[in-house]
Amino acid sequence: MDEEVRIQYLRPEQIAARRRKCPVAYIPLGNLEWHGPHNPLGADTLQAEGLANLCAEKGGGIAFPPLYYGENRHEALMEANSADRIKIAEEMDLPPDNFDIKHHPFSASGQNLNYHKLLLHILAEVESLGFDLGVLVAGHYPLIDHAQAAILIFNKRERRKTGGMLAWACVDYHMVTENYENSPGDHAGGWETSHLMHLHPKTVDLDVYNENSPGVSATKWPVEKSSAEFGKKTFEDAAESVIKEVRHRLDNPELYFQHGMALKQGLWKS
C-alpha cells in the first residue's frame, strides 16, 4: 500500500488527519475455519482485512485490526456441521468431536449473543475514537447476519440523537451481485482462492487440492481456474461498491438512522 491506513501502525496525528478527511472506520470480521487443504485457516479473516484495507486506501478512512475470535463455533462452521466434517477433522489430524458443543462453555444461542455484545463493544470503542461511520466487514459469510443484528441495535441507541456514530455492515459478494453473471461467492472455491492468491499468494497451494477435497464449494467458480488477477478484479469491484455506500452514508446519516433504513443499500443510485 502507498500510504498506511491501518490504525495500529498510525500515530495520533496521522489518525486525526485521515479521520478529518474521511471519518469512516472499517472493522474486518472473520474466524479460523477449514477452507480446503489448499487455503490457510484464516482465509475469511484475511479476505475481510484485505477488503477493509483496500476501501480505506481507495476511499479514505482507517482500517482497524481484524477480529479472528468470538463467533459461534457450533453453527455455520465447516468443522462442526459440514456434511463432510468427519473427513475435514481427519485432514486436520483432529478428533471430530473436538468441535462438538460439549467442549464450549456456552450454548449455540449463548455464543451468538456473546458475539453480538462483542460487536457492540467494538463499535462503541470505534465511536469513542471520533469516527462518524463504523463499517463491519464480514469475511466469514454467516457473520454478515450477526453484524447486521449488531448494527441494528447500535443505531437505535439514544446517543444517535446527539451526534452518535452510524454503523453499517457488508460482505464482499453481496456488493458485486450485478457485476457477475455467475452468482459471486463460494467456500474455498475459485472465488475465495483467487482472493487469497491476490492478497497472500504464499499461503495458497493448488497442488494439494483435488476434486475430492472436503469442505470445498466450487461448482460456480472452479478451484483450478483460480488466479490472482481474478481475485484482484473482484476485490476492486467490491471496494468500489462499498465506497459508494460509505460516501452516501457519510453525506446522509439522518436517512439511515430512520426506522428500517440501516440496512438499505443502493440509495446512492437515486
Side-chain angles (χ1 to χ4, degrees):
M1 60 182 71
D2 295 330
E3 184 178 351
E4 184 59 72
V5 300
R6 296 169 295 178
I7 194 168
Q8 65 269 36
Y9 295 104
L10 296 173
R11 297 185 300 278
E13 70 272 16
Q14 295 174 307
I15 295 170
R18 290 195 66 87
R19 191 181 60 227
R20 283 193 294 267
K21 289 182 180 178
C22 184
V24 58
Y26 295 96
I27 307 105
L29 307 179
N31 65 352
L32 296 168
E33 182 188 35
W34 171 267
H35 274 74
H38 55 297
N39 288 318
L41 224 61
D44 284 339
T45 320
L46 293 171
Q47 291 175 83
E49 180 183 33
L51 183 56
N53 291 346
L54 183 59
C55 288
E57 290 170 30
K58 296 176 77 72
I62 290 178
F64 274 60
L67 178 64
Y68 276 91
Y69 306 108
E71 87 292 348
N72 192 319
R73 298 295 291 176
H74 180 66
E75 298 177 336
L77 183 74
M78 298 301 293
E79 292 92 319
N81 44 46
S82 171
D84 49 7
R85 68 182 188 86
I86 304 298
K87 191 172 181 182
I88 290 174
E90 290 175 357
E91 294 268 355
M92 297 178 74
D93 194 24
L94 292 169
D97 74 351
N98 269 25
F99 303 98
D100 192 274
I101 192 69
K102 66 185 178 183
H103 292 288
H104 291 277
F106 305 107
S107 67
S109 295
Q111 291 179 55
N112 287 336
L113 291 173
N114 288 340
Y115 192 65
H116 294 171
K117 290 177 182 178
L118 175 58
L119 295 183
L120 290 170
H121 182 104
I122 291 171
L123 288 170
E125 181 175 341
V126 171
E127 182 182 57
S128 75
L129 294 172
F131 293 90
D132 293 343
L133 176 63
V135 180
L136 299 175
V137 183
H140 181 51
Y141 295 168
L143 294 184
I144 186 59
D145 296 310
H146 298 291
Q148 289 179 340
I151 68 166
L152 288 174
I153 296 172
F154 187 84
N155 286 346
K156 286 290 112 182
R157 298 168 309 138
E158 185 68 17
R159 176 162 164 69
R160 69 183 173 84
K161 298 178 181 178
T162 57
M165 185 181 78
L166 177 68
W168 178 55
C170 64
V171 61
D172 73 279
Y173 76 103
H174 278 179
M175 306 308 300
V176 292
T177 53
E178 297 178 1
N179 300 54
Y180 296 90
E181 250 182 64
N182 201 356
S183 179
D186 62 22
H187 187 271
W191 184 270
E192 289 198 303
T193 301
S194 293
H195 286 169
L196 293 161
M197 292 176 73
H198 163 55
L199 293 169
H200 303 282
K202 292 183 179 180
T203 68
V204 179
D205 185 358
L206 293 182
D207 290 339
V208 300
Y209 170 79
N210 65 68
E211 61 182 11
N212 296 316
S213 295
V216 178
S217 174
T219 54
K220 296 178 293 184
W221 305 96
V223 173
E224 297 84 352
K225 295 185 178 181
S226 302
S227 72
E229 293 75 21
F230 182 67
K232 184 175 187 291
K233 173 69 165 58
T234 57
F235 251 41
E236 289 178 346
D237 288 345
E240 182 180 348
S241 295
V242 170
I243 291 168
K244 288 176 180 175
E245 292 287 343
V246 162
R247 286 176 177 163
H248 196 264
R249 282 167 167 77
L250 287 174
D251 292 339
N252 307 277
E254 71 289 341
L255 177 60
Y256 295 96
F257 275 130
Q258 293 179 24
H259 303 309
M261 295 297 291
L263 304 182
K264 293 289 186 180
Q265 293 183 183
L267 297 182
W268 55 269
K269 299 177 183 178
S270 57

